[in-house]
Amino acid sequence: MAVPDDAASDRSDFVREQIQQDLAEGRVDRVQTRYPPEPNGHLHIGHAKAINTDFEIARDFGGTCMLRFDDTNPDTEDVSFVEGIIADIEWLGYEPTETLFASDYFDQLYEWAELLIRDGKAYVDEQDTETIRMQRGGYGNPGIESPYRDRSADENLDLFRRMRAGEFDDGAMVLRAKIDMQHENMQLRDPIMYRIRRGHHHRTGDRWVIYPTYDWAHGQSDAIEGTTHSLCSLEFDSHRPLYDWYLEQLPLPHERPHQYEFARLELTHTMTSKRKLAQLVASGVVEGWDDPRMPTLKGLRRRGYPASAIREFCSFIGIAKTNSRHQIELLESFVRTELNATAQRRMAVLRPLRLTITNWPTDDDGNPVVEHFEVANNPENEADGTRQVAFSGELFIEQDDFMADPPPKYFRLTPGREVRLRGAYLVTCTGYETDDEGEVTRVLATYDPDTRGGSAPDGRKVKSTMHWVSAAHAVPATVALYERLFTAEVPGEATGDPMDDLDHDSREVLTECRVEAALADTPAGEVVQFERIGYFAHDDRTPMLFHRTVGLRDEWANIQKRQG
RNA sequence: UGGGGUGUGGUGUAACUGGCAACACAGCAGAUUCUGGUUCUGUCGUUAGGGGUUCGAUUCCUCUCACCCCAACCA
């Protein structure tokens, strides 16, 4: 099993402690986990935590981790999901020891079902769904035993074989485990093991018309594969006694696996309901499962979230049994930390405002002089080297970087003030032009020729350094800015429907951006830092389209917020 | 209703199983800085509630409260 070793391996949690104890006391002599998705949808950030947990725990104990598809419901599953899940796990950076399918165990599961029938521990029930549900009791009502509960083993066997042979219609009968209709745990009130379904299965085709339920397939699959520690989410805790009961009835090829439950990952401003996510896609609120606003792994990837940042985040938050919701800001801080170290710096002007250097020289032919400056690709990493950026007398700066009448603590360009154009010169604002509506259309400034490279020989300081592009050398680009898809921290908390908290303006597309020429060479999918703005992912199919991964930390924004 | 699970700063996670409640994110203040970024320093603030055992309780006992899950022929 190959997994990256960037995650902390010295952390402790209730699962790791359990495993240590199992090892120490000789209950197991190896560790095997599995990640068991149903191939009926796309993986999202919540799944990343489960994947991280299963793979990292196995790695910490020198064990193995399988990828097993729990494909026991032909109605909802599809190969495209199998392929998507495999690709997403690989992207996340994990390599399963083996990729397996519960459907490969259908024969074994069937044999074991017959064994239970012969032992008098399972029976065929011919009642309909509604009746069975009513008889299960609950909400203060006692369970009622099915009239078919005490059939002979021979009769059950005959019926079950004919179920498999396709003699009965869908829903006509089911195989049930014979446990205890008065059990206080509802899961043990004669649970369904098999139902008749004529859907086409993505792997077994039409070979089967009966399909095992989750409970009858899951633990047995774990056991067949040799799973030692079966980790799942909290809502399965009441299934654990059933998990154990089934395994106790069967001759297993390995030691018995045990199930442990931990809390799912939830994030603020994020909704991970598969059905509702599908609704977002279907209604066109987002552009697809890989829309950069989606919490899917495909979406996060397109947005520019590094897989390593997602892994680090998952490892950091650890596993616990408390239902909780992590702040999306924490994930974002992991993304920034990773990108700060790795992303190449570039200059990009998102909302251009013309800046004219009025004392800029012309050459012998009367054309403005063009100079080239060498700037660092990443000040955090000298090995990333430098690049050349063209500079001349006509530039674009960010509209936000000039104010004719600035509020307190505004450090940027304003009439009379000197600032630095990053890597180039110190310039002083001498005036500005406006249109009929008073909008600033052009800023005028003079440069100090003695400050070439950006520092003054007399050592004077400026309060602000600003990014810029040369009007004649910059190239156009489209930049998509994203807000949170859901405005509420807990989508749906107020009304019960997450869709009520949807921000229908969560994407702003800027088409007039001017960016430095080097950005045209950015590989598809790569994330760069637009200096002073944020991290942006070059789209993987549309050249010169950039998605904002996450903004830089912005103290000025905080100041403005406080100023109201 | 029955059963199961969980409660620690604004948020999330820890605390050698009885011994100074810590780490991160967020916030605030300062230093550094050719990114209002980064980095560094400081600061803020926590054991759901009552009772009990104990020299000492987040930890043990007890009662109460709150929240989550199960009661599909989904997983």
Side-chain angles (χ1 to χ4, degrees), chain A residues 114-123 149 153 156 178:
Chain A
E114 285 207 352
L115 178 67
L116 253 52
I117 292 172
R118 280 195 294 271
D119 286 349
K121 292 169 182 164
Y123 63 98
R149 196 171 194 263
N156 280 318
K178 188 171 174 180

Side-chain angles (χ1 to χ4, degrees), chain A residues 407 556-564:
Chain A
W556 174 234
N558 283 346
I559 291 170
Q560 284 174 303
K561 213 182 293 172
R562 264 178 279 146
Q563 288 177 343

